[in-house]
Amino acid sequence: MAEPWEEEEGPVKKFMYVNRKAPYGTIYALESLEVVLIAAAFDQDVSLVFMDDGVYQLKKGQDTKGIGMKNFSPTYRALEGYDIEKLYVEKESMESRGLTADDMIIPVEMLSKDELTSLMEEQDVVMSF
Amino acid sequence: MKLAVLVNEGPYQHQAADSALQFVKAAVAKGHEIFRVFFYHDGVNNGTRFAIPPQDDRNITVEWSKLAEEHKLDLVVCIAAAQRRGILDENEAKRQGKSGDNIAPGFRISGLGQLIEAGIQAERLVVFGD
Protein backbone atom coordinates (compact mmCIF):
# COMPACT_ATOMS: atom_id res chain seq x y z
CA MET A 1 0.00 0.00 0.00
CA ALA A 2 1.24 3.46 -0.83
CA GLU A 3 2.14 5.66 2.12
CA PRO A 4 -0.02 8.80 2.48
CA TRP A 5 2.83 11.11 1.46
CA GLU A 6 3.42 9.12 -1.72
CA GLU A 7 -0.14 9.57 -2.94
CA GLU A 8 -0.11 13.33 -2.88
CA GLU A 9 1.46 15.45 -5.57
CA GLY A 10 3.60 17.30 -3.07
CA PRO A 11 6.19 20.00 -3.51
CA VAL A 12 9.57 19.09 -4.98
CA LYS A 13 12.39 20.27 -2.80
CA LYS A 14 16.14 20.25 -3.33
CA PHE A 15 17.67 17.72 -0.95
CA MET A 16 21.44 17.49 -0.56
CA TYR A 17 23.16 14.68 1.32
CA VAL A 18 26.70 15.53 2.37
CA ASN A 19 28.96 12.55 3.06
CA ARG A 20 32.02 13.51 5.06
CA LYS A 21 33.21 10.29 6.67
CA ALA A 22 35.32 7.35 5.50
CA PRO A 23 33.26 4.30 4.45
CA TYR A 24 34.46 2.13 7.33
CA GLY A 25 35.52 3.01 10.86
CA THR A 26 32.09 4.46 11.62
CA ILE A 27 28.62 3.60 10.36
CA TYR A 28 27.79 7.08 9.02
CA ALA A 29 28.50 6.25 5.36
CA LEU A 30 26.45 3.04 5.31
CA GLU A 31 23.47 4.54 7.13
CA SER A 32 23.63 7.68 4.99
CA LEU A 33 23.36 5.51 1.89
CA GLU A 34 20.26 3.89 3.42
CA VAL A 35 18.68 7.34 3.77
CA VAL A 36 19.48 8.19 0.15
CA LEU A 37 17.94 4.96 -1.14
CA ILE A 38 14.71 5.65 0.78
CA ALA A 39 14.76 9.30 -0.31
CA ALA A 40 14.76 8.18 -3.94
CA ALA A 41 11.16 7.00 -3.55
CA PHE A 42 9.94 10.52 -2.75
CA ASP A 43 10.49 12.13 -6.16
CA GLN A 44 12.53 15.00 -4.78
CA ASP A 45 15.51 16.72 -6.38
CA VAL A 46 18.40 14.78 -4.80
CA SER A 47 22.12 15.65 -4.85
CA LEU A 48 24.92 13.75 -3.17
CA VAL A 49 28.14 15.39 -2.11
CA PHE A 50 31.29 13.57 -1.06
CA MET A 51 33.91 15.61 0.76
CA ASP A 52 36.66 15.27 3.36
CA ASP A 53 37.22 11.53 4.01
CA GLY A 54 33.78 10.96 2.45
CA VAL A 55 35.46 10.86 -0.97
CA TYR A 56 36.87 7.44 0.02
CA GLN A 57 33.30 6.06 -0.03
CA LEU A 58 33.50 6.05 -3.84
CA LYS A 59 37.03 4.64 -4.12
CA LYS A 60 37.39 1.79 -6.59
CA GLY A 61 38.66 -1.62 -5.49
CA GLN A 62 37.49 -1.67 -1.87
CA ASP A 63 38.24 -4.97 -0.15
CA THR A 64 36.77 -5.39 3.33
CA LYS A 65 37.56 -9.06 3.90
CA GLY A 66 40.21 -8.26 6.47
CA ILE A 67 37.86 -6.22 8.69
CA GLY A 68 34.88 -8.56 8.50
CA MET A 69 32.48 -5.92 7.23
CA LYS A 70 30.33 -5.88 4.14
CA ASN A 71 31.75 -3.97 1.19
CA PHE A 72 28.77 -1.80 0.33
CA SER A 73 30.50 0.29 -2.33
CA PRO A 74 28.81 -1.56 -5.25
CA THR A 75 25.52 -0.05 -4.03
CA TYR A 76 26.65 3.38 -5.25
CA ARG A 77 26.56 1.97 -8.78
CA ALA A 78 22.86 1.23 -8.30
CA LEU A 79 22.05 4.89 -7.58
CA GLU A 80 21.55 5.64 -11.28
CA GLY A 81 18.72 3.10 -11.31
CA TYR A 82 17.06 5.14 -8.57
CA ASP A 83 17.33 8.29 -10.73
CA ILE A 84 19.97 9.72 -8.44
CA GLU A 85 22.40 11.20 -10.89
CA LYS A 86 23.70 14.37 -9.26
CA LEU A 87 26.89 13.22 -7.61
CA TYR A 88 29.55 15.70 -6.64
CA VAL A 89 32.98 15.34 -5.09
CA GLU A 90 34.91 18.22 -3.60
CA LYS A 91 38.03 18.94 -5.62
CA GLU A 92 40.17 19.98 -2.65
CA SER A 93 39.31 16.80 -0.71
CA MET A 94 40.24 14.69 -3.73
CA GLU A 95 43.51 16.50 -4.36
CA SER A 96 44.71 16.40 -0.78
CA ARG A 97 44.15 12.62 -0.81
CA GLY A 98 45.82 12.07 -4.18
CA LEU A 99 42.58 10.93 -5.83
CA THR A 100 41.28 11.64 -9.33
CA ALA A 101 37.92 11.00 -11.01
CA ASP A 102 39.44 7.78 -12.43
CA ASP A 103 39.71 6.37 -8.89
CA MET A 104 35.95 6.58 -8.39
CA ILE A 105 33.60 3.63 -8.99
CA ILE A 106 30.98 5.86 -10.63
CA PRO A 107 31.12 9.02 -12.75
CA VAL A 108 31.17 12.11 -10.55
CA GLU A 109 31.36 15.83 -11.10
CA MET A 110 34.26 17.51 -9.39
CA LEU A 111 33.46 20.88 -7.83
CA SER A 112 35.68 23.32 -5.98
CA LYS A 113 34.85 24.36 -2.43
CA ASP A 114 33.46 27.67 -3.76
CA GLU A 115 31.27 25.96 -6.36
CA LEU A 116 29.95 23.58 -3.71
CA THR A 117 29.18 26.51 -1.46
CA SER A 118 26.94 28.06 -4.12
CA LEU A 119 25.27 24.72 -4.81
CA MET A 120 24.61 24.30 -1.09
CA GLU A 121 23.02 27.73 -0.91
CA GLU A 122 20.46 26.68 -3.54
CA GLN A 123 19.26 23.70 -1.47
CA ASP A 124 16.10 23.50 0.62
CA VAL A 125 17.35 20.67 2.84
CA VAL A 126 20.96 19.75 3.58
CA MET A 127 21.66 16.64 5.63
CA SER A 128 25.25 15.93 6.55
CA PHE A 129 26.56 12.62 7.70
CA MET B 1 8.17 28.67 11.63
CA LYS B 2 7.59 24.99 11.04
CA LEU B 3 10.78 23.16 12.01
CA ALA B 4 12.04 19.60 11.82
CA VAL B 5 15.04 18.29 13.74
CA LEU B 6 17.40 15.43 12.99
CA VAL B 7 19.46 14.03 15.88
CA ASN B 8 22.40 11.89 14.76
CA GLU B 9 24.23 11.22 18.03
CA GLY B 10 23.33 9.45 21.24
CA PRO B 11 23.10 11.11 24.65
CA TYR B 12 26.13 11.81 26.92
CA GLN B 13 28.83 10.65 24.47
CA HIS B 14 28.19 13.65 22.22
CA GLN B 15 26.80 17.08 23.08
CA ALA B 16 24.66 16.99 19.92
CA ALA B 17 21.78 15.37 21.82
CA ASP B 18 21.85 18.12 24.49
CA SER B 19 22.07 20.80 21.82
CA ALA B 20 19.09 19.34 19.95
CA LEU B 21 17.05 19.15 23.17
CA GLN B 22 17.89 22.73 24.09
CA PHE B 23 17.17 23.90 20.55
CA VAL B 24 13.74 22.27 20.58
CA LYS B 25 12.95 23.75 24.03
CA ALA B 26 13.96 27.21 22.84
CA ALA B 27 12.06 26.92 19.56
CA VAL B 28 8.86 25.84 21.32
CA ALA B 29 9.25 28.65 23.86
CA LYS B 30 9.48 31.14 20.97
CA GLY B 31 6.25 29.79 19.51
CA HIS B 32 7.69 27.79 16.62
CA GLU B 33 6.07 24.56 15.51
CA ILE B 34 8.16 21.39 15.73
CA PHE B 35 6.85 19.15 12.96
CA ARG B 36 8.97 16.20 14.04
CA VAL B 37 12.20 15.20 15.78
CA PHE B 38 13.84 12.28 13.99
CA PHE B 39 16.53 10.15 15.66
CA TYR B 40 19.07 8.41 13.45
CA HIS B 41 22.48 6.70 13.77
CA ASP B 42 23.35 6.50 17.51
CA GLY B 43 20.71 9.20 18.00
CA VAL B 44 18.23 6.35 18.50
CA ASN B 45 19.83 5.83 21.92
CA ASN B 46 18.05 9.00 23.06
CA GLY B 47 14.92 6.86 23.05
CA THR B 48 15.76 4.09 25.53
CA ARG B 49 14.16 4.31 28.94
CA PHE B 50 16.72 1.81 30.30
CA ALA B 51 19.58 4.30 30.53
CA ILE B 52 20.40 5.35 34.09
CA PRO B 53 22.66 8.40 34.22
CA PRO B 54 23.99 9.40 37.69
CA GLN B 55 21.38 11.20 39.78
CA ASP B 56 23.28 14.48 39.84
CA ASP B 57 23.42 14.52 36.03
CA ARG B 58 20.73 15.42 33.50
CA ASN B 59 18.55 12.61 32.17
CA ILE B 60 18.24 13.44 28.49
CA THR B 61 15.67 10.76 27.65
CA VAL B 62 13.40 11.80 30.52
CA GLU B 63 13.67 15.41 29.31
CA TRP B 64 12.68 14.41 25.77
CA SER B 65 9.71 12.45 27.12
CA LYS B 66 8.60 15.37 29.30
CA LEU B 67 8.94 17.82 26.43
CA ALA B 68 7.01 15.49 24.12
CA GLU B 69 4.16 15.23 26.59
CA GLU B 70 4.00 18.96 27.29
CA HIS B 71 4.07 20.04 23.66
CA LYS B 72 2.69 16.99 21.83
CA LEU B 73 5.99 16.48 19.99
CA ASP B 74 6.41 13.71 17.44
CA LEU B 75 9.65 11.93 18.44
CA VAL B 76 10.48 9.29 15.83
CA VAL B 77 13.24 6.70 16.12
CA CYS B 78 14.44 5.12 12.86
CA ILE B 79 13.51 1.45 12.86
CA ALA B 80 16.58 0.18 10.98
CA ALA B 81 19.00 2.15 13.17
CA ALA B 82 17.03 1.16 16.28
CA GLN B 83 17.12 -2.55 15.52
CA ARG B 84 20.89 -2.47 15.07
CA ARG B 85 21.22 -0.88 18.49
CA GLY B 86 18.60 -2.79 20.45
CA ILE B 87 15.88 -0.15 20.76
CA LEU B 88 12.49 -1.88 20.62
CA ASP B 89 8.86 -1.02 21.20
CA GLU B 90 6.32 -3.58 22.33
CA ASN B 91 5.30 -4.62 18.82
CA GLU B 92 8.86 -5.00 17.55
CA ALA B 93 9.89 -6.95 20.65
CA LYS B 94 7.04 -9.38 20.02
CA ARG B 95 7.75 -9.60 16.30
CA GLN B 96 11.46 -10.27 16.88
CA GLY B 97 10.89 -12.67 19.76
CA LYS B 98 12.66 -10.47 22.34
CA SER B 99 11.77 -10.59 26.01
CA GLY B 100 11.03 -6.92 26.52
CA ASP B 101 10.90 -3.45 25.03
CA ASN B 102 12.79 -0.37 26.08
CA ILE B 103 11.36 2.56 24.14
CA ALA B 104 10.81 5.63 26.30
CA PRO B 105 7.40 7.36 26.64
CA GLY B 106 6.69 9.85 23.87
CA PHE B 107 8.94 8.13 21.32
CA ARG B 108 7.72 5.96 18.47
CA ILE B 109 9.57 3.71 16.03
CA SER B 110 9.06 4.21 12.31
CA GLY B 111 10.85 4.24 8.97
CA LEU B 112 13.28 6.60 7.26
CA GLY B 113 10.41 7.88 5.13
CA GLN B 114 9.42 9.92 8.18
CA LEU B 115 12.70 11.82 7.95
CA ILE B 116 12.26 12.63 4.26
CA GLU B 117 8.65 13.64 4.87
CA ALA B 118 9.85 15.96 7.64
CA GLY B 119 12.31 17.52 5.20
CA ILE B 120 9.49 18.08 2.71
CA GLN B 121 6.91 19.40 5.18
CA ALA B 122 9.05 21.61 7.41
CA GLU B 123 10.36 25.02 6.43
CA ARG B 124 13.73 24.18 7.95
CA LEU B 125 15.37 20.89 8.87
CA VAL B 126 18.03 21.36 11.53
CA VAL B 127 20.67 18.63 11.86
CA PHE B 128 22.48 17.91 15.14
CA GLY B 129 25.48 15.66 14.76
CA ASP B 130 29.17 15.30 15.39
Side-chain angles (χ1 to χ4, degrees):
Chain A
M1 205 182 83
E3 300 290 348
W5 57 83
E6 288 172 331
E7 288 169 359
E8 295 164 22
E9 285 279 320
V12 173
K13 281 192 170 183
K14 285 174 182 271
F15 277 71
M16 177 184 275
Y17 299 90
V18 184
N19 298 284
R20 298 174 300 138
K21 305 274 177 38
Y24 311 101
T26 64
I27 200 171
Y28 296 104
L30 174 63
E31 286 191 331
S32 165
L33 188 56
E34 288 178 0
V35 175
V36 170
L37 294 175
I38 297 286
F42 284 78
D43 296 327
Q44 302 292 303
D45 181 345
V46 173
S47 309
L48 261 62
V49 171
F50 298 85
M51 58 187 290
D52 302 334
D53 277 349
V55 295
Y56 287 125
Q57 293 178 25
L58 300 180
K59 178 82 176 59
K60 268 183 197 160
Q62 296 178 28
D63 180 358
T64 57
K65 265 191 235 100
I67 54 171
M69 292 181 199
K70 191 179 158 192
N71 175 5
F72 59 91
S73 64
T75 312
Y76 294 105
R77 282 200 217 110
L79 289 176
E80 202 185 353
Y82 287 85
D83 290 328
I84 295 174
E85 288 160 340
K86 294 178 186 170
L87 303 164
Y88 307 98
V89 291
E90 194 210 44
K91 193 164 166 273
E92 289 83 348
S93 302
M94 294 283 280
E95 284 173 357
S96 64
R97 288 164 182 79
L99 296 170
T100 68
D102 286 343
D103 295 309
M104 304 284 103
I105 50 171
I106 42 170
V108 288
E109 193 178 338
M110 221 182 302
L111 296 179
S112 69
K113 188 167 269 187
D114 288 345
E115 289 168 321
L116 261 183
T117 305
S118 337
L119 192 63
M120 246 176 222
E121 275 172 7
E122 293 170 14
Q123 304 298 314
D124 296 304
V125 180
V126 179
M127 292 191 215
S128 62
F129 296 103
Chain B
M1 187 179 275
K2 196 196 279 190
L3 300 166
V5 173
L6 171 60
V7 184
N8 285 334
E9 296 294 345
Y12 315 114
Q13 176 110 13
H14 293 264
Q15 196 179 336
D18 291 273
S19 303
L21 181 68
Q22 286 162 15
F23 174 83
V24 171
K25 276 185 191 169
V28 168
K30 288 267 183 193
H32 296 291
E33 179 192 343
I34 303 292
F35 177 78
R36 178 169 295 147
V37 183
F38 192 87
F39 297 87
Y40 196 50
H41 298 305
D42 277 356
V44 299
N45 289 321
N46 281 276
T48 171
R49 65 171 199 275
F50 282 3
I52 310 161
Q55 282 192 348
D56 59 354
D57 198 358
R58 71 234 185 271
N59 188 321
I60 295 177
T61 300
V62 166
E63 289 195 39
W64 278 123
S65 294
K66 231 190 303 174
L67 204 59
E69 198 189 351
E70 282 168 14
H71 302 287
K72 303 271 172 295
L73 297 183
D74 189 19
L75 308 182
V76 179
V77 172
C78 168
I79 187 162
Q83 287 188 340
R84 276 199 181 101
R85 295 164 178 84
I87 312 291
L88 297 165
D89 62 11
E90 205 185 335
N91 280 339
E92 273 307 297
K94 251 184 226 157
R95 208 165 68 86
Q96 305 288 343
K98 300 289 182 186
S99 58
D101 68 90
N102 58 348
I103 191 114
F107 287 82
R108 66 187 178 94
I109 291 181
S110 190
L112 275 169
Q114 300 270 305
L115 168 62
I116 312 299
E117 190 206 14
I120 294 169
Q121 296 297 333
E123 288 162 77
R124 294 277 190 286
L125 177 111
V126 188
V127 184
F128 291 87
D130 193 23

